[in-house]
Amino acid sequence: MTALRHLLRDPVAALGLALVLFAIVVALFAPWLAPYPEDAFESRLLQRLKPPSAEFPFGTDNLGRDILSRVILGTRSAVVVAVSVVLAAMLIGVPVGLWAGWREGWVSETLMRVTDVFLAVPQLILALALGQLMAPGLTTAMVALALTYWPFFARTVHAETRRLRGALFVDALAGIGASTPRILLLHVLPNAAPAILVRATIGMGFTILTAAILGFLGVGAAPPSPDWGLAVAEARQHLPEAWWFPTFPGLAILLLVLGFNLLGDGLRDVADPRLRRGR
């Protein structure tokens, strides 16, 4: 509760939290909030490319589908991708970081050198390469993003484990005979949790943006999925006349990524005692 109060005192972080919570609510109730939920897959060519109006607040796309409904339905896809990718990356990166940070020797060095190789290659380029090796689709994009984001968790957890390894409470636990798994899972990992949470929150925003880029480039979600990046790609040939076609999916990407980034920055400030004292 103390951390939440600190977070809400920061108007920028509070804005990020509000955007993220709003997106989660929309994702949970998307089929009931969308004015025309059937427009996720059905075409209505007689009403194609209609500008925003009372009937269609965001206008219609090139197949006559309500853009507002597809933006709302696309929120669920974006949130699911972000959460799934970050959780999968954590399942890979956190154990690697814990082991490499705790142990000495060639195994630890090898793990971190592999991590450095992944970090040296831009995530988007690596995700595109992996996506081209597999069949295009949303699952392919999620796998590619998870396989390219785990090194960020590994590096974060490695640094935290190295810092905590020499702490007095760790020496005391080792002195009373606590096993290494017990020390790592019950004491080191909880102390590293704030850094992991900050990395996960910022990573969700970056994952949404990268997934939208993959969809735009044809490696991510495939038609007729209500994907934001795919919608922007489909709108290119109808610009500038149908300006509303890419505008609203693009704004959805902007707001959700901004929300996660602002929330992540706020959590980082709360988790850092030096910044907290400076408030």
Side-chain angles (χ1 to χ4, degrees), residues 23-48:
I24 292 174
V25 171
V26 171
L28 290 174
F29 300 101
W32 297 277
L33 293 175
Y36 305 97
E38 67 278 2
D39 279 6
F41 303 102
E42 295 182 5
S43 301
R44 305 175 187 274
L45 296 180
L46 294 179
Q47 59 189 32
R48 64 190 301 269

Side-chain angles (χ1 to χ4, degrees), residues 208-230:
I208 291 171
L209 180 60
T210 308
I213 295 174
L214 293 178
F216 180 85
L217 296 176
V219 182
S225 298
D227 180 77
W228 296 340
L230 182 61

